[in-house]
């Protein structure tokens, strides 16, 4: 008889006291118990896996329990057990093997064991299963540490297993077969199993992390009967763990009228009434809503999401926004209205997901206690470290929260070869994915969004996409991607009505025009400004009348310069752009909303705000006059949506005016038509043909009719066969080539739901695959250097948080590295950097060193300004200046 309890699964340091290790068999049963408890609570996941394997709930529980228990069988190898020599098991009856210079990971050893060494032991549950199907099921079960792996190509069997190790593996598989008595289902189709493998990978990862948290699964003595341990210890602990982790706790409210979402004093808009009365299609569906800003798209999406949850088609929702600022604003809105989607008996979990979520003052995480024992994991306790990281990283739990809010980037990582992407997919597939501002993305990110929608459909989830100005071609791309996920062929979008609701489901495509919101219909006077002097004059005149004025510049440098010029003219203006330290930007964001937001007091709604594109998306702002640099037409329509946004207000100006600083869109523009007039705009928006078309389409009208002109303007600018003037041909071919290359890169980088969770392609290299393309960035951590000390720019009781609040990002072409001021030594800087820790705020699960972090020590200058220096991408010196009013200036 082999004594399996002598094999360790988790170990703590010898000097930490208490039980030295947790037997491997107990950990395998812990994970099986957690996974089965998740299935018991998770109806959508249980139903999906039941369909895949054609098993009822009880048979599925036994089947999945068995495979979950196999997840760490590679730890039974001699190579793994030798990692803690003092715990070398007596079961091997031989000395430990010699260490290998590059030992295989224990997940690879498990795949090797079950696919190559003792695969016949699984024949009772794999009747008629081909080897490729076995691999497709076992890979997500065994390769559960961030990415799929494959069995090693070369492996010295004697070193890894030896004859005794193989006997232990066989004995362990047979014991688990006896404990769980799994059925032997017929093999599913390859595509069906491939799609199920993604959710299975997420389930195993989640179960392993929860079962590795010692607050719920403390180390246990080996003296238990395996069956008794499973039923009397592991299963009760699993139930407690899921209850405390807040997984599957909340349920949707039984009834929710539109008035409850929009407020008792507001009437539902035509869009909101339409979605409340809409017959829902069977199965997964995509709802694509095109409507102007201020028409209640968010409330309409919440109403749709609640109806889907009430029909048990989803367990929650995730709202994906284009930027951290817009995610923060949405998170604040969801604190009250989002909770109404759920029954009052159990409060829903609410979480925020972006790389700086922990810096948001109002952030409320998934209700998981964070008092893990302060002890270092022993050798080989990789899952224990991951479990602690999961408990501490709220972005990971956001996709398991009942109500998650975050950036689209966090959701896109689910379809890229990023660490633990399967956990994101698991959460998203069971939630309604709501994507706001879908027009705000470039060709690369839009391509990834299409792949995300395809995954969502393939895994049985629904999605709602919101946009104010979506070209017909992009609408067709997104709808087509979702239909491919449903394996639905045929159909196209064609309706040019606006507003419009497009529905894609297994039944095909339905396009439903929606009546516009009457009080939002307005005629906005449009005027081209030929120079910056006229822009300054228009802003000054409106400010003198007591108006709320917005001047949008397309670059931070131009925004800072415009504020300075206004000050020279005696006009005080506030700045809002992306080059403020995170802490200052969060404060400034709230101040902008207080003065110019929906609930701004009349006495506060006056003055001038100079901003960049950060005000263009999702922030509910309202101005009396807008002056803006020329931009693509969809951006201009978005900017115009911040003009006279809320009806019924007393306005100091007689009518809304939209003034656009732009060159004359002549019939034969020169090659430098835009670069000679607005060089910053030419660099930001590299497709100059669409800028020219935007100017011609807009200025051909003496006024902008909203919503009547929106569709026609967008299609005129984005028409595939429109006029291309000779002077812009070279730019057009270059920008069109860049778009096509970006689309191809998105297809290349993104995962394929029909390939399954296998170690193929990009998984072979552990690279960071971006969610957006763009120039390389560097993150500067601003510091005050004074009195021989280096202190973070922003203050906070937690030093790590203070440093994170002090960050600002710039392009590496502008600042490649920071230089040290006189008296600031390398030793001082090195000491500060060591205090940050090795893994500081990683953008992907798993943690990597933040090589993009650079310390920028600043010394006091005049007034509130602090100055520093650096070098740019060409090695040339660059002067740096920072103050809370203007942000970071680069000279």
């Amino acid at each position: 008889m082999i004594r399996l309890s002598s094999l360790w699964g988790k170990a703590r340091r010898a000097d930490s006291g208490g039980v030295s290790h947790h037997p491997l068999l107990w950990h395998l049963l812990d994970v099986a118990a957690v996974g089965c408890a998740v299935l018991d609570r998770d109806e959508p996941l249980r139903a999906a896996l039941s369909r895949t394997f054609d098993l009822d709930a009880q048979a599925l529980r036994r089947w999945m329990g068995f495979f979950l228990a196999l997840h760490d069988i590679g730890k039974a190898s001699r190579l793994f057990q030798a990692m803690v020599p003092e715990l070398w098991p007596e079961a091997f009856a031989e000395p430990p093997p010699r260490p290998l210079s590059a030992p295989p990971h224990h997940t690879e050893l498990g795949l090797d064991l079950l696919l190559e060494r003792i695969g016949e032991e699984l024949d009772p549950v794999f009747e008629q299963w081909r080897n490729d199907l076995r691999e497709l099921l076992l890979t997500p079960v065994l390769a559960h540490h961030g990415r799929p792996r494959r069995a090693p190509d070369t492996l010295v069997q004697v070193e890894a297993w030896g004859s005794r190790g193989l006997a232990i593996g066989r004995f362990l598989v047979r014991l688990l077969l006896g404990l769980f008595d799994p059925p032997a289902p017929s093999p599913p189709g390859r595509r069906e199993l491939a799609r199920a493998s993604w959710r299975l990978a997420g389930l195993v990862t989640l179960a392993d992390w929860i079962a590795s948290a010692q607050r719920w699964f403390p180390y246990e003595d080996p003296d238990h009967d395996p069956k008794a341990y499973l039923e009397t210890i592991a299963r009760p602990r699993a139930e407690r763990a899921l209850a405390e982790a807040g997984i599957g706790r909340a349920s949707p409210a039984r009834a929710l009228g539109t008035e409850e979402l929009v407020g008792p004093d507001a009437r539902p808009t035509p869009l909101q009434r339409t979605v409340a009365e809409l017959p829902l299609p069977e199965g997964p569906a995509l709802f694509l809503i095109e409507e102007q800003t201020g028409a209640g798209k968010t409330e309409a999406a919440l109403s749709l999401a609640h109806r889907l949850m009430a029909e048990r088609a989803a367990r929650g929702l995730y709202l994906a926004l284009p930027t951290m600022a817009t995610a923060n604003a949405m998170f604040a809105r969801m604190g009250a209205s989002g909770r109404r989607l759920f029954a009052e008996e159990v409060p829903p979990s609410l979480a925020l997901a972006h790389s700086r979520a922990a810096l948001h003052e109002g952030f409320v995480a998934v209700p998981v206690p964070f008092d893990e024992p302060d002890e270092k994991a022993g050798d080989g306790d990789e899952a224990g470290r991951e479990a602690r990281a999961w408990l501490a990283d709220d972005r990971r739990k956001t996709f398991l929260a009942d109500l998650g809010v975050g950036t689209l980037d966090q959701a896109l990582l689910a379809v890229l070869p990023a660490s633990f992407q399967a956990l994101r997919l698991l959460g998203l597939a069971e939630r309604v994915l709501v994507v706001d501002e879908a027009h705000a993305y470039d060709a690369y990110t839009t391509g990834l969004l299409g792949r995300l929608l395809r995954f969502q459909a393939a895994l049985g989830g629904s999605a709602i996409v919101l946009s104010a100005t979506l070209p017909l071609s992009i609408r067709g791309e997104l709808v087509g991607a979702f239909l491919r996920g449903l394996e639905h062929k045929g159909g196209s979008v064609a309706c040019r009505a606006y507003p419009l609701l497009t529905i894609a489901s297994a039944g095909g495509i339905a396009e439903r025009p929606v009546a516009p919101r009457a009080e939002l219909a307005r005629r906005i006077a449009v005027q081209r400004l030929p120079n910056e002097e006229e822009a300054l004059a228009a802003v000054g005149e409106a400010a003198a009348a007591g108006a709320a004025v917005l001047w949008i510049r397309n670059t931070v440098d131009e925004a800072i310069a415009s504020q300075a010029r206004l000050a020279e003219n005696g006009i005080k203006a506030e700045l809002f752009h992306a080059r403020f330290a995170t802490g200052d930007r969060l404060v400034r964001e709230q101040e902008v909303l207080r003065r110019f937001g929906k609930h701004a007091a009349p006495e506060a709604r006056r003055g001038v705000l100079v901003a960049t594109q950060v005000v263009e998306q999702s922030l509910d702002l309202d101005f009396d006059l807008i002056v803006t640099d020329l931009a693509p037409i969809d951006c201009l329509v978005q900017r115009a949506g911040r003009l006279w946004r809320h009806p019924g207000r007393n306005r100091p100006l007689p009518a809304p005016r939209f003034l656009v600083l732009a060159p004359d869109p002549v019939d034969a523009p020169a090659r430098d038509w835009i670069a000679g007039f607005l060089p910053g705009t030419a660099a930001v928006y590299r497709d100059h043909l669409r800028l020219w078309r935007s100017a011609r389409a807009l200025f051909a009208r003496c006024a902008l009719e909203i919503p009547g002109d929106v569709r026609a303007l967008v299609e005129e600018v984005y028409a595939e066969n429109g006029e291309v003037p000779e002077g812009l041909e070279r730019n057009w071919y270059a920008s069109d080539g860049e778009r096509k290359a970006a689309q191809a890169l998105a297809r290349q980088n993104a995962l394929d739901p029909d390939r399954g969770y296998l170690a193929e392609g990009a998984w072979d290299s552990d690279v960071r695959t971006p969610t957006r393309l763009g120039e390389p960035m560097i993150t500067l951590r601003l510091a005050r250097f004074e009195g021989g000390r280096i202190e973070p720019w922003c203050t906070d009781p937690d030093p790590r948080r203070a440093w994170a609040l002090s960050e600002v990002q710039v392009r590496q072409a502008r600042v490649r590295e920071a230089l040290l001021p006189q008296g600031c030594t390398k030793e001082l800087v090195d000491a500060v950097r060591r205090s940050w820790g090795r893994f500081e705020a990683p953008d992907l699960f798993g943690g990597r060193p933040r090589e993009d972090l650079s310390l920028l020590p600043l010394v006091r200058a005049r007034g509130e300004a602090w100055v520093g220096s650096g070098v740019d991408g060409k090695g040339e010196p660059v002067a740096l200046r920072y103050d809370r009013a203007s942000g970071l200036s680069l000279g």
Side-chain angles (χ1 to χ4, degrees), residues 669-672 686-689 692 722-737:
R671 183 180 300 177
D672 66 345
R686 298 170 66 174
D687 187 340
H688 300 169
L689 174 66
W692 177 78
E723 178 186 0
V724 182
E726 182 179 353
L728 300 180
E729 278 185 346
R730 179 178 297 182
N731 172 270
W732 164 250
Y733 291 132
S735 57
D736 188 50

Side-chain angles (χ1 to χ4, degrees), residues 723-875:
E723 178 186 0
V724 182
E726 182 179 353
L728 300 180
E729 278 185 346
R730 179 178 297 182
N731 172 270
W732 164 250
Y733 291 132
S735 57
D736 188 50
E738 288 178 358
R739 267 192 303 273
K740 290 176 179 175
Q743 291 168 343
L745 186 60
R747 290 191 297 269
Q748 173 185 316
N749 286 348
L751 300 169
D752 185 341
D754 296 333
R755 294 298 303 167
Y757 191 81
L758 292 171
E760 297 179 338
W763 286 112
D764 290 337
S765 58
D766 194 18
V767 297
R768 304 180 80 166
T769 307
T771 55
R772 306 196 193 199
L773 297 183
E775 295 185 56
M777 306 292 288
I778 185 172
T779 300
L780 300 174
R781 284 194 159 178
L782 308 184
R784 293 181 173 89
F785 176 61
E786 200 169 31
R789 293 174 56 84
I790 297 177
E791 300 290 344
W793 175 264
C794 294
T795 59
D796 191 89
D798 181 355
R800 291 171 67 89
R801 191 171 188 271
W803 281 115
L805 286 167
S806 303
E807 291 183 1
V808 61
Q809 278 198 330
V810 296
R811 291 184 294 119
Q812 287 186 10
R814 301 294 304 276
V815 181
R816 188 182 68 196
E817 62 178 317
L819 301 179
L820 303 184
Q822 185 175 0
C824 184
T825 66
K826 182 177 182 298
E827 288 74 19
L828 280 172
V829 172
D830 289 344
V832 169
R833 291 188 65 89
R834 284 195 298 271
S835 74
W836 296 346
R838 183 184 176 202
F839 302 121
E840 178 60 30
D843 290 329
L844 300 179
F845 296 168
R848 293 181 176 86
R850 284 289 304 275
E851 297 175 355
D852 63 328
L853 282 180
S854 181
L855 181 70
L856 173 58
L858 302 168
V859 297
R860 190 184 295 273
R862 292 182 180 179
E864 298 297 319
W866 291 67
V867 297
S869 61
V871 295
D872 63 17
K874 297 180 180 179

Side-chain angles (χ1 to χ4, degrees), residues 479-769:
V479 168
F482 193 85
L483 289 177
R484 282 192 294 277
L486 294 178
E487 301 182 73
H488 184 282
K489 298 180 180 179
S492 60
V493 297
C495 184
R496 292 176 179 261
Y498 185 88
L500 182 67
L501 169 62
T502 303
I503 306 164
S505 67
I509 301 172
E511 296 173 300
R512 296 188 52 160
V514 178
R517 186 179 181 183
E519 57 266 36
L520 287 182
R522 56 199 187 276
R523 179 182 175 86
I524 298 174
V526 175
Q527 178 183 345
R528 184 179 75 86
L529 298 180
N531 54 61
E532 193 172 324
E533 297 302 323
E534 292 200 20
L536 287 164
V539 170
E541 182 181 349
V549 184
L550 173 63
W551 187 358
I552 302 178
R553 305 306 312 264
N554 287 334
T555 71
V556 175
D557 291 337
E558 290 167 333
I560 293 173
S562 294
Q563 183 205 39
R565 290 205 63 187
L566 288 169
E568 292 170 1
N569 291 357
I571 303 169
K572 182 180 178 181
E574 299 295 327
L575 264 176
F576 186 37
H577 56 70
R579 225 156 61 195
F580 284 96
T582 302
D584 292 343
R585 179 172 171 173
L586 290 171
V587 172
R588 190 158 293 268
E589 180 183 308
Q590 292 305 309
E591 178 63 11
V592 168
L593 288 168
R594 185 190 70 80
R595 291 189 58 191
F596 304 109
K598 182 177 182 179
H599 303 292
E603 61 273 15
R605 269 199 78 258
R606 59 177 59 215
V608 179
L609 177 68
V610 180
T612 58
Q613 295 90 330
V614 294
V615 297
E616 190 177 296
Q617 303 157 358
S618 294
L619 296 179
D620 193 352
L621 304 175
D622 186 340
F623 296 91
D624 303 315
L625 173 74
I626 292 181
V627 178
T628 177
D629 290 348
L630 179 64
I633 193 64
D634 46 336
C635 299
L636 292 177
V637 171
Q638 278 293 102
R639 296 174 187 186
R642 273 66 187 158
L643 189 62
W644 289 45
R645 183 181 178 106
H646 299 295
R649 281 182 164 166
N650 293 323
R651 305 282 180 176
L653 302 181
R657 296 173 64 214
F658 190 61
L659 312 182
V660 183
L661 183 61
D664 187 5
V666 295
D667 291 342
R671 183 180 300 177
D672 66 345
W673 171 78
I674 187 66
F677 189 88
L678 289 172
T681 296
V684 172
Y685 300 108
R686 298 170 66 174
D687 187 340
H688 300 169
L689 174 66
R690 287 181 176 171
L691 287 175
W692 177 78
R693 286 182 178 176
S694 297
R696 283 176 73 86
L698 188 62
F699 299 145
R701 297 162 167 78
C702 59
L704 177 61
E705 299 279 355
I706 295 180
D709 286 342
V710 172
R711 180 74 74 193
L713 281 169
V714 171
E715 295 306 329
E716 184 176 342
V717 170
Y718 285 91
E720 294 184 2
N721 298 314
E723 178 186 0
V724 182
E726 182 179 353
L728 300 180
E729 278 185 346
R730 179 178 297 182
N731 172 270
W732 164 250
Y733 291 132
S735 57
D736 188 50
E738 288 178 358
R739 267 192 303 273
K740 290 176 179 175
Q743 291 168 343
L745 186 60
R747 290 191 297 269
Q748 173 185 316
N749 286 348
L751 300 169
D752 185 341
D754 296 333
R755 294 298 303 167
Y757 191 81
L758 292 171
E760 297 179 338
W763 286 112
D764 290 337
S765 58
D766 194 18
V767 297
R768 304 180 80 166
T769 307

Side-chain angles (χ1 to χ4, degrees), residues 60-385:
L60 178 70
R61 201 170 189 268
R62 291 168 17 232
W63 165 263
M64 288 307 307
F66 170 70
F67 281 102
L68 284 159
L70 290 176
H71 81 287
D72 262 351
I73 196 170
K75 288 185 175 181
S77 70
R78 298 170 74 246
L79 292 177
F80 182 87
Q81 292 295 312
M83 292 176 68
V84 183
E86 60 269 25
L87 294 178
W88 179 247
E90 62 185 42
F92 282 106
E94 56 188 345
R98 57 181 176 82
L100 298 182
S101 58
H105 194 267
H106 71 267
T107 58
E108 298 171 342
L109 293 173
L111 285 167
D112 174 71
L113 180 70
L114 296 183
L115 290 175
E116 305 292 339
R117 309 297 173 197
I118 62 168
E120 70 278 2
E121 297 292 339
L122 297 182
D123 288 348
V125 295
F126 274 151
E127 291 182 4
Q128 302 175 4
W129 282 55
R130 302 190 312 265
N131 288 339
D132 64 316
L133 296 183
R134 292 190 181 202
E135 182 181 7
L136 189 50
L137 178 67
L138 289 172
T139 299
V141 171
L142 278 78
H144 54 275
H145 285 284
R147 64 181 180 90
R149 298 173 182 264
R150 56 169 56 95
D153 294 331
T154 60
L155 183 65
V156 181
Q157 180 178 341
V158 174
E159 295 295 330
W161 297 103
S163 60
R164 190 69 172 171
L166 293 180
I168 289 173
R170 293 181 191 277
F171 187 81
L172 183 52
V173 170
R174 292 170 186 174
L175 185 147
L176 295 175
L177 284 169
L179 274 177
F180 291 96
D181 187 26
S186 299
R190 194 200 181 283
R191 175 178 289 184
E192 186 179 8
L193 182 58
R195 293 183 169 196
S197 69
W198 300 102
R199 297 176 82 168
L200 184 56
L203 172 63
V204 178
T205 298
L206 175 62
D208 187 44
W209 281 354
I210 291 177
S212 297
Q214 291 184 46
R215 64 167 292 103
W216 296 315
F217 292 87
Y219 287 6
E220 192 71 35
D221 289 325
D223 297 327
H224 292 287
D225 173 75
K227 185 173 183 180
Y229 178 87
L230 175 64
E231 298 299 335
T232 64
I233 298 179
R235 292 199 193 280
R237 286 178 176 174
E239 292 297 331
R240 176 197 166 209
L242 293 189
E244 293 186 4
I247 294 176
R249 289 159 34 108
S251 57
R254 294 183 179 178
L256 187 68
T258 307
E259 293 80 0
E260 295 179 72
L261 287 174
V262 302
D265 300 327
R267 292 182 302 164
T269 66
L271 171 64
Q272 292 162 355
R273 288 196 298 269
T274 297
V275 300
E277 300 165 359
L278 180 74
L280 296 179
E282 291 289 332
L286 168 66
F287 304 88
L288 201 156
I289 298 173
E290 297 174 271
E291 172 62 293
Q292 62 181 307
T293 57
K297 292 194 295 294
T298 299
E299 290 77 13
L302 293 178
S303 177
L304 263 177
H306 174 262
R307 293 185 61 196
L308 290 167
M309 289 189 295
E311 294 195 6
R312 299 190 175 186
R315 302 178 64 212
L317 66 155
Y318 177 79
L319 293 107
L321 286 299
T323 65
M324 287 189 288
T326 55
N328 289 341
M330 183 64 72
F331 181 78
R333 293 177 65 182
M334 290 302 100
S337 60
R339 294 182 186 275
R340 300 191 188 106
L341 302 173
F342 298 89
E344 295 181 357
E345 292 80 6
V346 178
S349 51
L350 173 64
L352 177 65
H354 57 64
S355 61
R356 286 291 172 264
L359 306 181
H360 190 284
E361 290 291 345
F363 174 60
V364 181
V366 182
V368 177
F370 299 111
D371 57 348
E372 277 291 289
D374 184 17
E375 60 184 0
K376 295 183 179 179
D379 292 338
D381 192 9
E382 185 175 0
R385 292 191 295 273

Side-chain angles (χ1 to χ4, degrees), residues 21-46:
H21 70 282
H22 194 51
L24 174 59
L25 180 56
W26 297 167
H27 176 63
L28 300 183
L29 298 180
D30 292 340
V31 172
V34 172
C36 289
V38 171
L39 285 176
D40 291 343
R41 291 169 173 244
D42 191 334
E43 184 175 345
L45 177 61
R46 187 172 67 248

